[in-house]
Amino acid sequence: MNIDLLIKDVQVYNVYMKQFIEGNVAVLDGRFLYVGARGEETFTAAETLDGRGRHMVPGLVDIHLHIESSMITPRTFSHGILKNGVTTVVSEPHEMANVFGLEGVQAMIDASQGCEADILYAIPSSVPATSLETTGGEIDVADIDKLMKQDRVICLGEIMDSYAVLNDPNGKTNRILQHFRDHYPHVVIEGHTPKRLVDLDLARFMFAGVDSDHTEQEVESMLDRMRSGCFVEIQEKAMRPDIMQVLIEQDVAELFCFVTDDVMADSFVADGHLNHLVRKAIKMGMSPERAIYAATYTSARRMQLHDRGAISPNKIADFVLLSDLNAFTIDAVYKRGTLVYDAARHTLQQQEPGQFPLHFYESVKLHKLTEADFIVNVEAADGIQMCRVMEVVNGTTNTNELHREVNVINRELQWEKSGCGLVATFERYGKNGQRGYGLITGNTIKRGAIATTYSHDNHNLLVVGHNAADMALAANTVIGTQGGFCVVVDGEVLKHVPLPVGGILSEVPFEQFGQDIKELRAAMESIGYEHYNPIMSISTHSLPVSPSLKLTDYGLIDVHAGQVVPLVV
């Protein structure tokens, strides 16, 4: 029998038995034809591989991520994930949707055409994430119906505003959920389910149709979810010893998978992608068989991708050959039976400019700022006033609310003498010119300034600093390149990373951009940022669904109360 590819004498991972079985694998027309003992006496192969000493696993499947979190284009992302054994992803482009609405989602889908990896999409369900921020675009029910006609769209992306689901029955989020229940009852709905949602609140959230969670976990809240049938997607920050112990020791393999969610480009280049989580799980005591299961089969099944996630007849022939199972060392990656990555050949990606419509490179509608733009006027009497302060905490992107005394002179807050930094955000879409101000402390910078248009999820201009001059220089550097990151100290630009596509993406090749982000991280740390992920930390200062005190162009947001609160208490 003629076939395209025969892999001989390889240790094949069988997801159904959760074990490796030595055998031969035949591939025909991009799909697995046969797995078993038969070999060259039965098959005449156009190509034959010797699999002795190697393990063969399905291509990894990552069902919850945001390409824009790596600040690279879909083509660059495809290049990066394939070398890490990831052959299928489900991306939710709510970052680009916040900048350009439906057009932004469509542009991301279009930019994925021709990628070697399968890049599938979730419809952004929470654009904007709340009513307390200004975005460049939004997604509503009519947009959802248009996107559901796309072949690459397979689910509704994470429902983020749990407060609205539970407390605003006639609001936009509940209208979207009701529309899905009525018109697309069998389509998967992804959830952003804060750990505070347990018991009745969790039940009500699930009753609305949201039956998964990818957020930070605690053991009891995670078990509460699993007992309720809520599928749990474990990202790296949830891979703590206590969580992993539960996943290893209890019979919950069908109830979770691994996902990356957000991966910075420098760690993407240095450490890998979903394969990094598999490797980490094995190091933490999970058997390779269980770790691989949670990065292939359960993830594919969750998204109803029944044609992949396993090495068995009629499944898509996406697979990875490993030279070391426990270290998860990748030798080669095959997509639909074709070699797409060979560890023995080092290939660099070439730059591909102009992947998006022209106006995507002209999205920052802001004039240059001056030091006067960082004067904070308050409705308060002169003298010492108690003010709200955002506390940055290492180990989490959540922030705390503190209260500190700050002097007011002629209704001007003397923030530069307060011992705190200033955080400011400026609406950048040319819609209303709104701006918000707050104070900041904790594991953030101690001098200089940082500015960025990569600020979840609204992506307005965010500036943090300790003096107005540095803040203005950082902001204007970013404005001048139509988006990006800039770190400044004492009037000197330490690092500038342009993000010209929508103010949030770069078209620089994978390895080079990873080096840029590594240098950006080092620059942030050099001026005092003490955080496991300073880039993600600062970019979520404006995320009003992430506890506890955040800042948008509307002002300071009490996330738990879901409302704007004044700077002066």
Side-chain angles (χ1 to χ4, degrees), residues 7 43 61 131 171 181 194 267 278 327 352 391 416 449-450 482 513:
I7 305 98
F43 301 108
V61 180
S131 60
R181 290 195 298 270
S267 58
V278 172
E352 299 180 75
E391 182 191 29
E416 290 192 50
I450 303 172
Q482 283 293 303
F513 190 70

Side-chain angles (χ1 to χ4, degrees), residues 74-149:
R75 290 182 203 172
T76 303
F77 194 81
S78 173
H79 171 87
I81 59 175
L82 285 174
K83 66 193 303 180
N84 289 291
V86 183
T87 53
T88 300
V89 299
V90 181
S91 176
E92 186 196 329
H94 68 238
E95 315 298 353
M96 194 61 82
N98 272 282
V99 180
F100 285 113
L102 175 63
E103 185 186 20
V105 178
Q106 187 62 59
M108 290 294 287
I109 295 173
D110 292 344
S112 301
Q113 301 290 341
C115 290
E116 290 183 307
D118 283 337
I119 300 178
L120 306 175
Y121 282 92
I123 296 174
S125 65
S126 304
V127 179
T130 71
S131 60
L132 302 173
E133 57 196 310
T134 302
T135 59
E138 60 181 279
I139 300 292
D140 214 325
V141 170
D143 302 312
I144 286 173
D145 287 335
K146 292 176 184 177
L147 289 168
M148 281 301 294
K149 297 176 182 178

Side-chain angles (χ1 to χ4, degrees), residues 67 90 133 192 245 264 341 373 384 473 503:
I67 290 175
V90 181
E133 57 196 310
H192 179 116
Q245 183 178 4
M264 292 291 104
Y341 172 72
D373 290 299
I384 301 298
L473 176 57

Side-chain angles (χ1 to χ4, degrees), residues 307-347:
D307 60 353
R308 66 196 71 198
I311 299 172
S312 62
N314 201 36
K315 304 296 186 186
I316 293 173
D318 295 350
F319 63 93
V320 183
L321 294 176
L322 305 171
S323 58
D324 185 322
L325 176 62
N326 288 306
F328 210 76
T329 304
I330 295 173
D331 269 4
V333 180
Y334 284 74
K335 186 78 185 77
R336 297 181 185 269
T338 299
L339 179 67
V340 291
Y341 172 72
D342 184 345
R345 303 176 193 166
H346 185 59
T347 56

Side-chain angles (χ1 to χ4, degrees), residues 253-475:
E254 311 306 320
L255 299 173
F256 79 95
C257 73
F258 293 121
V259 299
T260 56
D261 197 13
D262 305 301
V263 179
M264 292 291 104
D266 57 342
S267 58
F268 194 170
V269 172
D271 302 325
H273 197 257
L274 190 60
N275 58 321
H276 169 64
L277 273 64
V278 172
R279 193 182 303 120
K280 183 171 183 175
I282 294 170
K283 287 182 178 178
M284 295 182 75
M286 183 175 285
S287 71
E289 292 84 356
R290 286 284 295 271
I292 294 164
Y293 190 76
T296 56
Y297 188 64
T298 53
S299 47
R301 190 177 57 188
R302 162 67 186 170
M303 282 294 156
Q304 302 174 8
L305 297 171
H306 302 302
D307 60 353
R308 66 196 71 198
I311 299 172
S312 62
N314 201 36
K315 304 296 186 186
I316 293 173
D318 295 350
F319 63 93
V320 183
L321 294 176
L322 305 171
S323 58
D324 185 322
L325 176 62
N326 288 306
F328 210 76
T329 304
I330 295 173
D331 269 4
V333 180
Y334 284 74
K335 186 78 185 77
R336 297 181 185 269
T338 299
L339 179 67
V340 291
Y341 172 72
D342 184 345
R345 303 176 193 166
H346 185 59
T347 56
L348 291 176
Q349 183 197 13
Q350 300 301 309
Q351 185 155 355
E352 299 180 75
Q355 298 175 40
F356 288 81
L358 183 61
H359 64 282
F360 275 53
Y361 303 86
E362 301 171 346
S363 67
V364 180
K365 313 291 186 183
L366 272 174
H367 295 295
K368 289 198 171 184
L369 305 181
T370 69
E371 293 182 33
D373 290 299
F374 299 98
I375 294 173
V376 182
N377 295 308
V378 293
E379 294 295 325
D382 284 2
I384 301 298
Q385 296 288 347
M386 190 68 71
C387 294
R388 289 183 170 85
V389 180
M390 181 191 301
E391 182 191 29
V392 177
V393 181
N394 193 359
T396 179
T397 54
N398 295 345
T399 57
N400 297 324
E401 178 179 324
L402 305 179
H403 293 172
R404 295 279 176 83
E405 292 183 340
V406 183
N407 195 26
V408 175
I409 300 176
N410 295 326
R411 295 196 171 183
E412 183 179 320
L413 193 71
Q414 305 299 297
W415 64 267
E416 290 192 50
K417 301 177 182 178
S418 69
C420 298
L422 180 70
V423 54
T425 187
F426 300 84
E427 185 272 316
R428 60 101 159 178
Y429 300 103
K431 290 188 171 182
N432 53 40
Q434 290 183 163
R435 53 183 63 183
Y437 298 96
L439 298 173
I440 193 165
T441 190
N443 298 122
T444 185
I445 60 174
K446 308 302 184 293
R447 59 197 182 102
I450 303 172
T452 184
T453 49
Y454 187 84
S455 53
H456 292 288
D457 279 338
N458 48 70
H459 299 297
N460 287 309
L461 176 67
L462 179 80
V463 191
V464 174
H466 283 271
N467 68 83
D470 281 351
M471 294 179 80
L473 176 57

